[in-house]
Amino acid sequence: MNNTNRALNRTLIAVTGLLTLLIGAALVAIGTVPAIRAGYRSTAPVIHDAITSWLNTLPLFGTGTSWGWIFILAGLILIVIVLLTLIFRQGHGQEPILLRENPTPSGTTIIDSDVAKRAIQDALEGRAEFIASRVSTYRVHSTPVLKISVTCRRGVSPRDVTIVIQNTLTAFDALLGREIPTLIQISGGFRARLSRTTRTQ
């Protein structure tokens, strides 16, 4: 759960993978198939001369440099910027606002995500079943969603842990007066490793 555009991310991965596959297949074919290798040797100089000729038709103010190289360099820089943007956006989708009520004549009620973090995490940290716990808020399809991650001690049943977390959530929902969509992730402990649980409320 982060703020990376999933469609753009998957499209970029698909295009990159397809291009890599095609280039790899072409190199393998050139190296292993005599007919393709012979065709490449006869065609490559022609393609090289055509590209060179095209670049020479776009002189840059008589400097001996072609505009074509400028376009290619600009395209490469654009690709680098897009890739860096995707990299830096990864994992930064936490939402600072847990709940925002519709405006009324009396004002607008806003509940910060830290309220859930402190209330729920403080309740879970007091339990002997857990080694560690973490509460965070993300926005999924324009809806704030809680994520509760806990690491259990050895031998603790994931089912018992789920009940403890559900009871804590029930109390928190009663405090807010509404249910908050929640993702529960349980890990650690011998029995928990055998049956890792991820559940959406």
Side-chain angles (χ1 to χ4, degrees):
M1 292 186 293
N2 52 55
N3 62 355
T4 303
N5 188 308
R6 291 185 178 181
L8 178 60
N9 200 14
R10 292 173 180 174
T11 301
L12 181 61
I13 292 174
V15 171
T16 303
L18 182 60
L19 288 176
T20 303
L21 181 62
L22 291 176
I23 293 173
L27 292 176
V28 171
I30 291 172
T32 58
V33 181
I36 296 179
R37 183 166 58 250
Y40 171 76
R41 288 177 177 175
S42 61
T43 305
V46 177
I47 297 176
H48 178 269
D49 292 341
I51 294 175
T52 303
S53 176
W54 175 74
L55 292 175
N56 290 334
T57 60
L58 301 171
L60 178 61
F61 304 125
T63 59
T65 302
S66 171
W67 276 105
W69 294 113
I70 303 298
F71 296 150
I72 294 173
L73 180 60
L76 293 176
I77 292 175
L78 180 61
I79 292 174
V80 170
I81 292 174
V82 172
L83 293 176
L84 289 176
T85 302
L86 290 175
I87 290 172
F88 288 122
R89 284 170 62 90
Q90 292 288 339
H92 296 281
Q94 294 196 30
E95 173 66 25
I97 303 299
L98 176 64
L99 184 63
R100 185 192 300 269
E101 296 285 356
N102 294 326
T104 65
S106 301
T108 303
T109 300
I110 299 176
I111 299 178
D112 196 88
S113 297
D114 285 340
V115 174
K117 181 176 180 180
R118 293 175 182 175
I120 298 175
Q121 194 161 340
D122 287 349
L124 297 179
E125 286 179 351
R127 305 286 306 194
E129 297 93 336
F130 305 135
I131 297 176
S133 62
R134 185 173 184 271
V135 180
S136 51
T137 305
Y138 295 88
R139 182 169 290 275
V140 179
H141 300 300
S142 302
T143 301
V145 175
L146 283 174
K147 180 182 179 182
I148 301 177
S149 303
V150 295
T151 303
C152 305
R153 297 188 184 279
R154 183 177 296 275
V156 175
S157 170
R159 182 175 182 179
D160 294 339
V161 170
T162 302
I163 292 174
V164 170
I165 297 175
Q166 285 178 333
N167 291 338
T168 303
L169 283 173
T170 299
F172 185 70
D173 290 339
L175 178 65
L176 295 182
R178 64 175 60 194
E179 290 187 358
I180 301 296
T182 305
L183 175 72
I184 300 174
Q185 187 170 28
I186 301 172
S187 60
F190 179 73
R191 295 173 65 183
R193 280 202 299 271
L194 292 179
S195 54
R196 173 172 289 190
T197 301
T198 302
R199 186 188 70 85
T200 302
Q201 176 184 333

